[in-house]
Amino acid sequence: MKPALTPILLAALAWGGCIYSFKGGSVPPHLKTLSIPLFDDQSGQGEPGLRETFTNKLIDVFRQDNSLQLTDRTHADAVLEGIIQSISSTPLVVTTGETLAKQRLTITVKVTYQDMKMKKTIFDKQFSDYGDYDASGGASQRQTAISTALDKLTQEILNDTVSGW
């Protein structure tokens, strides 16, 4: 009975391996270069330097990942562009006496990923993430929350771009 199970088991493992190899893949081989133009800030919050900071963080995570080489738009196989749509703060922790202790700052961006070689949009979607901060911490705590939210967002965008296939 053992010899009959072995071929079946091998076939099942081989089939399972085939299925697995098509999930969570990497960048298609025809995409080698990527352009990331400066994101636009349409949040209406007037956060100084936000679009530059976000774009630079996004460029840095792609450089570190090294799945795609960064280049200018005219030479790119793919383009990743977007808009910072909103920044909002909501109460997270309210203490006795209704004093605001913590806030959650959420940033939402719309990102379009285009395959310039095949002339098609790979994705066009919203990403949203947050950073929490002490309400009494002032501007520096808020900036830390912005940085945390941007770090999370750039990692999500990288993951969807290079392994969302």
Side-chain angles (χ1 to χ4, degrees), residues 40-104:
D40 193 17
D41 181 4
Q42 295 180 1
S43 68
Q45 296 296 311
E47 192 66 46
L50 180 64
R51 65 193 212 132
E52 292 85 358
T53 301
F54 179 72
T55 305
N56 288 334
K57 281 184 180 251
L58 191 58
I59 288 169
D60 287 345
V61 297
F62 274 90
R63 275 197 182 120
Q64 291 170 6
D65 177 73
N66 205 29
S67 293
L68 293 162
Q69 296 301 311
L70 296 172
T71 188
D72 62 278
R73 187 180 189 115
T74 58
H75 297 98
D77 299 333
V79 176
L80 191 67
E81 56 192 348
I83 299 165
I84 301 166
Q85 293 182 309
S86 66
I87 303 172
S88 61
S89 289
T90 55
L92 187 61
V93 176
V94 179
T95 62
T96 307
E98 297 193 22
T99 303
L100 181 61
K102 281 198 175 280
Q103 293 205 118
R104 174 160 287 173

Side-chain angles (χ1 to χ4, degrees), residues 102-138:
K102 281 198 175 280
Q103 293 205 118
R104 174 160 287 173
L105 183 135
T106 303
I107 300 176
T108 302
V109 296
K110 181 177 184 261
V111 179
T112 304
Y113 181 33
Q114 298 176 20
D115 180 333
M116 303 308 280
K117 285 194 163 199
M118 299 292 197
K119 307 264 190 260
K120 70 176 187 173
T121 299
I122 298 168
F123 67 70
D124 185 9
K125 63 194 239 181
Q126 282 188 331
F127 294 86
S128 187
D129 223 312
Y130 65 91
D132 297 337
Y133 64 102
D134 290 330
S136 62

